[in-house]
Amino acid sequence: MQKLDLLYEGRTKRIFASENPDEIIIAFLDNTTAYRGLKKSFIPGKGAVNNRISNHLMRKIAGLGIPTHFIKEINDHETCVVKADIIPIAVVVRNIAAGSLAERLGLPEGMAFDKPIIEYYYKDASLGNPMINEYHITTLAWATEEELKTVADYSLRVNMFLSAYLIDLGIALIDLKLEFGKNKHGDILLADEISPDSCRLWDTKTHERLDKDRFRLDLDDVEDAYREILRRLLGN
Ligand code: UDP
């Protein structure tokens, strides 16, 4: 499968056209950024590890009947996906208080919730990805009420599935960020990636962080933590 024009270059991925107008190619990079791009680094091998983790989880999620953009892993760091119109919303689902929520509401990090909390953020880096609610999304026509209902339903189902799947591997899913798009028929698809860059993952026994917080908080062995997630998922 051949990569054609570079369509978009983000902080951690490049998107290329393919020979099929309905499909694009995502190339996962080894770059990492945090704090809205203010902190940057390079983690050798991270792109390949995230590509493989995300594809494995996307395949599992597709098995639940939730449509995803995943088509085919091309090589260790490149994947062919459905070309979708991305809904400009990041959906965050939280099971345990951490990160910006713990800070904003003064909650102790590690506090478990009785049921998941959903938050929406408007994907506009120049505005600092501000938090929004359902009214902003439907009134500003980023999604219809029906589309938003599907997005919320899929997000909660992905969270429920992943929480149960990961706990058996000794990993607690603290929170995760999901993005969705619409294919040419208007169907909602899970898009972007699911990886230690977009989820908080703690070892259930040691509470060690096995995700991007290692980079955010200047902890060592970021690459090893990502590889440990891949090892527990795929055994290699
Ligand atoms: N997250 C993400 N991309 C972002 C912001 C957050 O993937 O641009 C993920 C983050 O890794 C965590 C969840 O969304 O799993 C919730 O992040 P939070 O709002 O706590 O913000 P952070 O502390 O990451 O700034």
Side-chain angles (χ1 to χ4, degrees):
M1 176 159 272
Q2 215 188 326
K3 289 200 302 260
L4 301 178
D5 297 350
L6 176 67
L7 299 177
Y8 172 80
E9 172 141 19
R11 286 176 181 156
T12 60
K13 295 186 205 82
R14 287 196 188 111
I15 310 290
F16 295 89
S18 75
E19 291 137 337
N20 182 332
D22 297 332
E23 299 177 1
I24 53 172
I25 295 170
I26 302 182
F28 283 73
L29 308 177
D30 289 345
N31 303 341
T32 190
T33 68
Y35 307 117
R36 291 188 216 149
L38 292 178
K39 183 174 162 130
K40 291 184 198 170
S41 189
F42 187 77
I43 303 173
K46 187 201 71 150
V49 170
N50 275 3
N51 184 43
R52 296 184 61 206
I53 291 174
S54 190
N55 291 342
H56 175 75
L57 296 176
M58 289 280 181
R59 284 192 194 99
K60 294 264 172 208
I61 289 164
L64 306 175
I66 294 176
T68 83
H69 72 170
F70 176 78
I71 297 175
K72 183 173 178 278
E73 191 166 287
I74 300 170
N75 57 40
D76 70 347
H77 68 283
E78 293 177 336
T79 291
C80 174
V81 303
V82 177
K83 186 172 183 182
D85 269 346
I86 295 295
I87 298 174
I89 308 294
V91 183
V92 170
V93 186
R94 300 178 182 274
N95 303 302
I96 291 181
S100 71
L101 177 74
E103 205 176 309
R104 196 169 60 247
L105 301 185
L107 303 176
E109 187 155 77
M111 175 187 172
F113 305 130
D114 291 343
K115 55 179 189 162
I117 294 175
I118 290 201
E119 294 170 352
Y120 301 104
Y121 293 85
Y122 178 43
K123 271 169 53 78
D124 184 329
S126 68
L127 299 175
N129 301 325
M131 189 193 263
I132 51 173
N133 66 28
E134 288 87 344
Y135 288 86
H136 300 101
I137 296 171
T138 53
T139 305
L140 297 172
W142 292 321
T144 64
E145 279 190 26
E146 201 191 330
E147 286 165 352
L148 185 54
K149 225 174 126 214
T150 303
V151 163
D153 174 56
Y154 287 174
S155 299
L156 289 173
R157 283 167 59 195
V158 167
N159 176 61
M160 206 191 319
F161 163 73
L162 281 183
S163 296
Y165 176 62
L166 293 172
I167 210 85
D168 286 343
L169 305 174
I171 303 163
L173 179 62
I174 308 304
D175 54 36
L176 82 165
K177 189 262 308 172
L178 300 172
E179 295 186 22
F180 294 87
K182 282 193 282 181
N183 67 12
K184 65 177 181 183
H185 307 295
D187 305 317
I188 305 275
L189 310 178
L190 179 62
D192 196 51
E193 69 179 284
I194 305 182
S195 74
D197 272 356
S198 62
C199 303
R200 284 197 170 87
L201 304 165
W202 293 359
D203 183 277
T204 43
K205 284 207 189 86
T206 63
H207 291 183
E208 191 187 5
R209 296 163 196 265
L210 301 172
D211 57 52
K212 194 163 125 179
D213 272 350
R214 295 199 77 80
F215 170 68
R216 290 189 187 98
L217 303 172
D218 287 324
L219 303 175
D220 52 9
D221 300 332
V222 186
E223 190 189 342
D224 290 348
Y226 282 52
R227 282 195 192 284
E228 176 61 15
I229 295 294
L230 181 64
R231 194 190 62 75
R232 291 198 202 178
L233 290 172
L234 290 173
N236 63 8

